[in-house]
Amino acid sequence: MSAMKTHASEWAGLRGARRFLFCSEDNAVAAQLAQALGEEGLLMQETPAPQELARRVAEISPSLVFVDFTPSADEPGKLAAAADLVRLLAQAAPEVARVAVGRLSQPEGAVAALRAGVSDFVDPAAAPEETRQVARRLMAAPRGNDAGQAGRSLLLLGARPGVGTSTLAVHLAGIVQGRLQQAHGAHAGARAGKAAEPGEGLPLAARVAVADLGWPVGDCQLYLNIKGDFHFAEAARNLKRLDATLLGSVLPRSASGLSVLALPRDVEQMREVSLADSLLVFERLRQHCGAVLTDAGGFSNAKFIAALARVSQYVWLVTDQSVGALVSLAGLLQDLERLHVERARLGLVVNRYDERYGMTAQQIAERFGLALVGTLPERTLALMTCTNQGRLLHEEAERDIYVRGVQALADRLCAEAHAARAGWLASWLQGMPRWPAAH
């Protein structure tokens, strides 16, 4: 265990100050983190031995724990050790939020942190103001198991192209966006004493972002009738500038505030985007937006899909009852398991469902060892009629049986959040159980 060091401009406030614990041996990084945090609290630097971790965290009683994920050529095992420490912290002090500290110029640290289950990443040297914003947000979040660590993200994976993944994605995103908009409007109106303007001016924290990564390219953006030139490869090229201000101004969005980040039409541009940068784009969206819903139906990069699955809060596989889709579902599950995505984390949505087709949804779920999340009925004619008119079905027929099915899925995402949190943020996913730590 390293000696305790305290980084603060004033020692006198130790007794009453908020305490932050930074688990690191690197004094230079600690000094940068302390400077970035400023007067938010007192940074205490220590790396407790595993057997003493729970006792030391209880004695220090930190508001947040920062873990050092800055790669070092002199310490080849540093990132693995940091990931092990995160998992120990999750067991020893699950109520204390954990934040990874790294370098945007060294994305391997961020990737290691994401794989270890850390949802928040800061670079105090490059983005001190963002470091303070992350600290304030996590300290303001209600405390509970894994407080401040909710992923606020859903990954939809189609068993094969054509099973309705993109259609589900845009309807689910639209319904959740309506709830966020309504709740934010009530919250803002209560503070201002008047109703808030719908859609326009919504902060990112009250907006759903759709990561439109499905195939064919841009289907979600097309269904939502949203135009824009800013795409996923552009976001990856601008990672260092990808803060709330930039995202708020460049993300294409609907009148309700729903945002979309699609693949470039020239998919060759994606060859220049690394896996690490792709994951960091996803993390930036999750860090700043109220919710991130990723449509990856038909996306061909299995390693990226598996990495997204490991860091998303929810992963739902979408299929129908056809033989082709079920065979493809079996292959998809094999690919995910080969890439270390635990089947226990996956849920199943059966689309175009009709018991007369043969196997019931529950039988399909049991056959593949998946939890059944929900079913959606066959409504191709109604859905196509609306999309051809530039509208979504839930905007035209709120009580349609397909829309009611999607609303039930939205209820499933939001239910525990409503019970766990007060204010408009209750309309999303805080408090849901996270995925188990990898071993």
Side-chain angles (χ1 to χ4, degrees), residues 94-405:
E95 74 286 352
V96 182
R98 300 171 290 284
V99 183
V101 178
R103 297 277 185 258
L104 290 174
S105 59
Q106 297 174 298
E108 61 269 31
V111 173
L114 288 168
R115 289 175 175 170
V118 183
S119 297
D120 291 282
F121 176 88
V122 299
D123 181 346
E129 178 57 33
E130 187 170 307
T131 300
R132 288 189 288 275
Q133 290 174 357
V134 169
R136 291 168 190 156
R137 171 171 57 81
L138 293 177
M139 287 189 292
R143 288 292 177 246
N145 284 349
D146 226 5
Q149 297 292 309
R152 300 177 300 182
S153 51
L154 167 67
L155 173 63
L156 291 176
L157 291 176
R160 64 189 301 180
V163 297
T165 310
S166 297
T167 300
L168 169 58
V170 296
H171 283 83
L172 183 58
I175 288 170
V176 173
Q177 179 61 61
R179 297 183 182 187
L180 284 178
Q181 178 184 334
Q182 183 179 24
H184 174 77
H187 177 70
R191 288 191 307 170
K194 60 180 180 180
E197 290 294 323
E200 190 67 31
L202 276 179
L204 279 177
R207 284 161 54 181
V208 176
V210 176
D212 182 5
L213 308 182
W215 186 266
V217 170
D219 269 7
C220 288
Q221 194 165 2
L222 180 65
Y223 295 158
L224 290 165
N225 196 24
I226 298 175
K227 295 180 174 63
D229 297 326
F230 189 78
H231 51 70
F232 198 92
E234 190 76 17
R237 288 195 290 265
N238 287 277
L239 264 175
K240 291 185 178 181
R241 300 173 51 232
L242 207 60
D243 57 11
T245 301
L246 180 63
L247 286 171
S249 62
V250 301
L251 280 182
R253 64 179 181 270
S254 68
S256 67
L258 178 65
S259 301
V260 177
L261 183 64
L263 294 173
R265 290 291 175 183
D266 177 12
V267 292
E268 288 297 312
Q269 295 186 50
M270 290 300 295
R271 295 184 181 276
E272 305 169 5
V273 180
S274 68
L275 171 64
D277 285 351
S278 298
L279 287 174
L280 282 174
V281 170
F282 171 78
E283 181 57 24
R284 281 289 183 267
L285 290 175
R286 188 168 61 170
Q287 184 176 13
H288 295 295
C289 296
V292 179
L293 196 157
T294 303
D295 169 20
F299 194 80
S300 59
N301 190 321
K303 289 185 177 180
F304 177 55
I305 293 302
L308 266 185
R310 286 192 293 267
V311 300
S312 295
Q313 187 176 12
Y314 294 96
V315 183
W316 293 352
L317 309 182
V318 183
T319 187
D320 58 28
Q321 292 160 280
S322 68
V323 171
L326 296 180
V327 170
S328 297
L329 177 61
L332 175 61
L333 286 168
Q334 289 176 355
D335 289 342
L336 291 173
E337 288 193 337
R338 176 173 53 84
L339 293 168
H340 312 296
V341 177
E342 298 178 11
R343 190 169 300 204
R345 295 201 55 244
L346 308 177
L348 179 69
V349 177
V350 182
N351 192 28
R352 304 182 187 126
Y353 179 65
D354 191 324
E355 288 190 3
R356 295 175 296 178
Y357 288 153
M359 290 181 70
T360 67
Q362 190 59 50
Q363 287 171 333
I364 295 172
E366 291 173 358
R367 166 66 180 81
F368 291 102
L370 298 169
L372 180 63
V373 176
T375 63
L376 297 168
E378 167 60 61
R379 293 292 287 156
T380 301
L381 177 60
L383 289 164
M384 188 177 296
T385 300
C386 280
T387 54
N388 285 348
Q389 296 172 349
R391 303 279 289 173
L392 296 179
L393 187 55
H394 71 274
E395 296 171 336
E396 294 291 316
E398 188 178 356
R399 301 309 300 163
D400 184 273
I401 55 174
Y402 180 89
V403 175
R404 291 204 303 268

Side-chain angles (χ1 to χ4, degrees), residues 35-36 422:
Q35 184 174 6

Side-chain angles (χ1 to χ4, degrees), residues 3 53 74 97 128 323:
L53 185 62
D74 297 331
V323 171

Side-chain angles (χ1 to χ4, degrees), residues 67 69 78-88 112 115-116:
V67 180
F69 277 88
K78 181 178 181 180
L79 296 183
D84 289 341
L85 179 60
V86 164
R87 296 175 187 125
L88 286 173
R115 289 175 175 170

